[in-house]
Amino acid sequence: MSANNHIVMADESVIVEAALLLKQGRLVALPTETVYGLGADASNPEAVKQIFSAKGRPENHPLIVHIGSVEQIHDWAVNVPDVALQLANLFWPGPLTLIFKKRPEVPMAVTGGQDTIALRIPNNPVALSLLKDFGGGIAAPSANRFKHISPTSAKHVLEELGSAVDLILDGGPCLLGVESTILDLSGEHYRLLRPGHISVSELEAVLKTKLSTGNASSVRTSGMMAVHYAPLTPAYLCASEGFPETLDKLAKMIKTVGILAYKYQPSSKQEHVIDMPEQSAEYAQSLYAALRELDQLKLDIILVEQPPETESWRAINDRLGKATVLIDI
Ligand code: TXA
Ligand code: MG
């Protein structure tokens, strides 16, 4: 099989081929339970550099290294607290990224020049068998261009990165749809850097302490930048209460509006409305695909109806906050 920028269903022989490509320093996009990742051999600085150029991402933004077993933590990290192993045993494979002090020999290319390393075991059969065949760590940010919407299908990866990626492993749509929870265990005070499917209260139950959620350090976490995960169409977030009235006002000023509706019931002839699921898990699963769909229509604006703001919606609201600007007219 020649691996030339195409999407292939990830069966066993294709996964073996993908592991070989990684060993040769090439880029392989892989499915995870959260979003698709753009993978390279994490121990090969030249391969890792290609990730940054394919994404158009600045080289000082650190990457997550995906590993195949809890024991491999020690190949990458030092000063690993006991509680980290408890968390790993409880939540891995799963949507939790843990940050530690890195081993001195870990290439700076993968940590964006920082002395810390982000690790996780993804919970996806294709990713797990690729990790097993490859044997080492796979550095993989989300497989989208810098600041764009993360991909939740193989087709999205192709749209984002095209020929910049050597092979796209198709494992179907991602089950969770938003990126992993990131917990920084590298300092004295543990900190939540990015909310995700694993909630703060689940983490606090294991840590037996309250988590700080502010970003007090100067760490360059692209997921924490104000504009991120964003469609190219200007996107606005609007309270659910009074949504139809806001829409009426907007209609007088703007020609084409795409709507991500939560409670709002459109009239039968209204176009460009995506009715989002009521439950947070299903909402998360389809959020990026829905934003992408509206974005591709090249409308004047996208209007997102604010979903609930309770804990199970936290990761969704975090991403919506970054993809949109609040509207109040
Ligand atoms: O669910 C996910 O985490 C997906 C899948 C592919 O695993 N990956 C992902 O990677 O979202 P990326 O690169 O798009 O986002 C990773 C975030 C970035 O905000 C990055 O700055 C942060 O993790 N990060 C990585 N290493 C870090 C470190 N050493 N210290 C602080 N933040 C770090
Ligand atoms: Mg990303």
Side-chain angles (χ1 to χ4, degrees):
M1 183 196 69
S2 81
N4 194 3
N5 163 40
H6 50 226
I7 302 181
V8 283
M9 283 314 291
D11 64 20
E12 248 171 70
S13 69
V14 170
I15 292 173
V16 169
E17 169 97 26
L20 286 174
L21 284 172
L22 289 174
K23 283 187 184 133
Q24 292 163 8
R26 312 271 293 272
L27 297 182
V28 173
L30 63 146
T32 82
E33 79 281 38
T34 57
V35 299
Y36 273 71
L38 177 61
D41 178 353
S43 65
N44 177 345
E46 286 310 311
V48 168
K49 274 193 186 155
Q50 288 181 48
I51 290 182
F52 292 99
S53 50
K55 278 182 65 91
R57 173 162 161 171
E59 291 193 6
N60 61 3
H61 285 251
L63 304 176
I64 296 174
V65 174
H66 298 72
I67 53 177
S69 70
V70 174
E71 295 71 49
Q72 284 177 3
I73 290 182
H74 305 288
D75 297 342
W76 301 90
V78 291
N79 302 345
V80 177
D82 288 345
V83 74
L85 299 176
Q86 264 174 279
L87 288 167
N89 285 318
L90 200 59
F91 295 115
W92 286 357
L96 175 66
T97 296
L98 299 175
I99 294 180
F100 304 103
K101 286 276 182 245
K102 78 173 190 72
R103 289 183 76 94
E105 63 272 28
V106 172
M108 283 290 189
V110 87
T111 66
Q114 300 180 81
D115 65 352
T116 52
I117 179 86
L119 299 173
R120 88 173 184 105
I121 305 182
N123 189 14
N124 173 283
V126 175
L128 287 170
S129 63
L130 181 62
L131 282 161
K132 191 158 175 257
D133 283 352
F134 177 64
I138 302 176
S142 51
N144 51 279
R145 303 269 313 159
F146 185 51
K147 292 187 182 178
H148 283 196
I149 305 166
S150 294
T152 51
S153 75
K155 183 173 144 274
H156 296 164
V157 178
L158 189 63
E159 287 166 11
E160 286 287 319
L161 300 173
S163 58
V165 51
D166 294 305
L167 176 67
I168 302 172
L169 291 175
D170 190 348
C174 298
L175 276 180
L176 299 180
V178 295
E179 303 81 352
S180 60
T181 305
I182 304 183
L183 177 64
D184 185 355
L185 302 174
S186 68
E188 221 175 289
H189 300 289
Y190 301 157
R191 291 180 310 138
L192 181 85
L193 296 187
R194 182 172 73 186
H197 185 78
I198 310 264
S199 69
V200 171
S201 49
E202 283 176 285
L203 296 175
E204 286 176 342
V206 180
L207 295 170
K208 300 199 174 55
T209 164
K210 281 268 161 208
L211 261 183
S212 115
T213 55
N215 181 25
S217 84
S218 58
V219 173
R220 292 166 292 263
T221 52
S222 45
M224 295 183 91
M225 290 165 59
V227 179
H228 204 72
Y229 315 104
L232 300 175
T233 313
Y236 297 91
L237 189 63
C238 176
S240 189
E241 207 182 297
F243 189 85
E245 291 74 21
T246 306
L247 202 56
D248 282 348
K249 285 188 208 158
L250 273 176
K252 297 194 178 90
M253 302 182 261
I254 287 159
K255 267 206 231 131
T256 54
V257 182
I259 298 169
L260 220 58
Y262 184 67
K263 283 193 194 139
Y264 175 68
Q265 302 283 338
S267 68
S268 56
K269 58 180 191 327
Q270 204 168 342
E271 290 181 300
H272 318 312
V273 184
I274 297 181
D275 185 16
M276 293 298 284
E278 242 171 77
Q279 301 299 321
S280 59
E282 286 83 32
Y283 191 109
Q285 202 175 38
S286 55
L287 173 61
Y288 289 152
L291 280 175
R292 200 172 274 275
E293 190 183 324
L294 289 178
D295 202 22
Q296 283 169 348
L297 297 175
K298 307 248 180 303
L299 305 169
D300 293 330
I301 65 165
I302 294 172
L303 198 61
V304 180
E305 182 182 2
Q306 172 74 64
E309 293 182 273
T310 49
E311 188 175 17
S312 66
W313 291 83
R314 182 166 176 170
I316 292 165
N317 281 306
D318 172 75
R319 304 315 188 270
L320 284 178
K322 283 163 183 150
T324 63
V325 173
L326 258 184
I327 196 167
D328 184 17
I329 57 169

